[in-house]
């Protein structure tokens, strides 16, 4: 059918333009694709992705909101809500981001990235106890990723419980010793030299490195 031909021709052009780094041209093609198929998940998600790359966050948020209204599998809908939450967070709209992450988790409770995103929102809102629960869910789903553990240690410190932070540092030292060392240095939790259980000196993290985002 002609409609399908034009749609796939526009899609091929958009992919080629992206490969050439011509984002504005690709963005126009995605808009034309949506003119033919207003609820097309691929075009909406791709349009939002390019809009983020072009730092057009409000436009990306509008695209992703439209995407969340398109029916799909639970996994697809959860991904749309997560991406919306992420962009809202980048735009500094933390309350809205929290709602988006919660919507993602209602559809896909095992979406570890959404638990982490929600935890960052809760930390920003200084809801530390609730953020502990979100980070525990994240670390249970991604036990070998340092990011959730890093944030959880910081939250325990904010709650005035340094021993719980030390327990996390000891855990991290088993598989991410550089991150454990960074946490110790940043928060003054190094064991005195020669004290029982003091860690073996580790290679310093290079300047400007951040363990978690």
């Amino acid at each position: 059918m002609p409609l399908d031909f034009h749609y796939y021709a526009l899609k091929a052009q958009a992919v080629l333009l992206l490969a050439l780094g011509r984002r504005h041209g690709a963005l126009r093609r995605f808009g034309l694709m949506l003119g033919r198929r207003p609820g097309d998940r691929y075009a909406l998600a791709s349009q939002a992705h390019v809009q983020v790359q072009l730092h057009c966050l409000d436009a990306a948020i509008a695209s992703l909101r439209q995407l969340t209204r398109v029916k799909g599998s639970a996994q697809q809908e959860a991904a749309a809500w997560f991406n919306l939450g992420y962009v809202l967070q980048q735009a500094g709209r933390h309350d809205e981001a929290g709602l988006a992450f919660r919507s993602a988790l209602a559809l896909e409770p095992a979406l570890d990235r959404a638990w982490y995103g929600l935890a960052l929102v809760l930390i920003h809102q200084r809801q530390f106890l609730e953020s502990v629960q979100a980070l525990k869910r994240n670390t249970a789903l991604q036990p070998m990723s340092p990011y959730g553990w890093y944030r959880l240690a910081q939250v325990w410190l904010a709650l005035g419980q340094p021993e719980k932070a030390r327990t996390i540092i000891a855990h991290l030292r088993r598989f991410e010793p550089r991150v454990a060392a960074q946490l110790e240095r940043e928060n003054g939790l190094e064991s005195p030299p020669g004290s029982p259980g003091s860690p073996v000196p580790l290679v310093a993290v290079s300047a400007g490195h951040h363990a978690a985002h």
Side-chain angles (χ1 to χ4, degrees):
M1 294 176 61
L3 181 62
D4 286 338
F5 171 80
H6 288 302
Y7 171 87
Y8 288 110
L10 289 167
K11 183 176 181 179
Q13 292 169 20
V15 171
L16 178 60
L17 288 166
L18 283 177
L20 295 172
R22 296 169 60 182
R23 295 190 181 94
H24 290 284
L27 197 57
R28 285 192 290 272
R29 299 310 189 280
F30 290 131
L32 291 170
M33 288 166 65
L34 288 167
R36 293 179 175 278
R37 298 185 182 183
D40 184 67
R41 300 189 67 86
Y42 172 81
L44 282 168
S46 300
Q47 177 176 265
H49 181 72
V50 175
Q51 287 165 336
V52 170
Q53 290 181 325
L54 294 172
H55 308 290
C56 301
L57 297 187
D58 288 342
I61 288 167
S63 296
L64 289 167
R65 285 200 187 282
Q66 188 177 347
L67 182 58
T68 62
R69 294 191 287 269
V70 178
K71 196 66 179 173
S73 67
Q75 188 176 18
Q76 288 174 324
E77 292 181 21
W81 280 110
F82 168 78
N83 287 328
L84 175 59
Y86 176 81
V87 178
L88 285 165
Q89 200 169 46
Q90 298 305 302
R93 294 161 64 172
H94 299 282
D95 292 346
E96 294 172 81
L99 293 174
F101 289 134
R102 290 182 191 278
S103 295
L105 290 165
L107 291 161
E108 195 76 12
L111 189 57
D112 57 281
R113 296 171 299 164
W115 284 113
Y116 184 75
L118 177 59
L120 294 185
V121 169
L122 293 167
I123 290 169
H124 178 82
Q125 296 170 336
R126 303 190 68 78
Q127 297 182 41
F128 296 125
L129 288 174
E130 193 175 351
S131 73
V132 166
Q133 300 309 311
L135 287 166
K136 284 183 175 180
R137 294 295 298 270
N138 171 262
T139 54
L141 291 163
Q142 284 288 349
M144 299 305 292
S145 172
Y147 301 114
W149 293 111
Y150 183 96
R151 294 295 185 186
L152 185 55
Q154 289 183 320
V155 171
W156 284 130
L157 288 168
L159 289 169
Q161 300 196 46
E163 290 311 310
K164 290 187 176 181
R166 289 182 187 276
T167 299
I168 291 173
I169 289 170
H171 175 69
L172 279 171
R173 195 174 290 121
R174 299 171 191 164
F175 62 98
E176 287 285 355
R178 288 165 64 92
V179 178
Q182 181 176 337
L183 267 170
E184 287 180 316
R185 286 196 308 275
E186 289 178 350
N187 299 286
L189 294 174
E190 299 96 331
S191 301
S195 65
S198 62
V200 175
L202 299 169
V203 177
V205 177
S206 58
H209 175 77
H210 297 281
H213 304 283

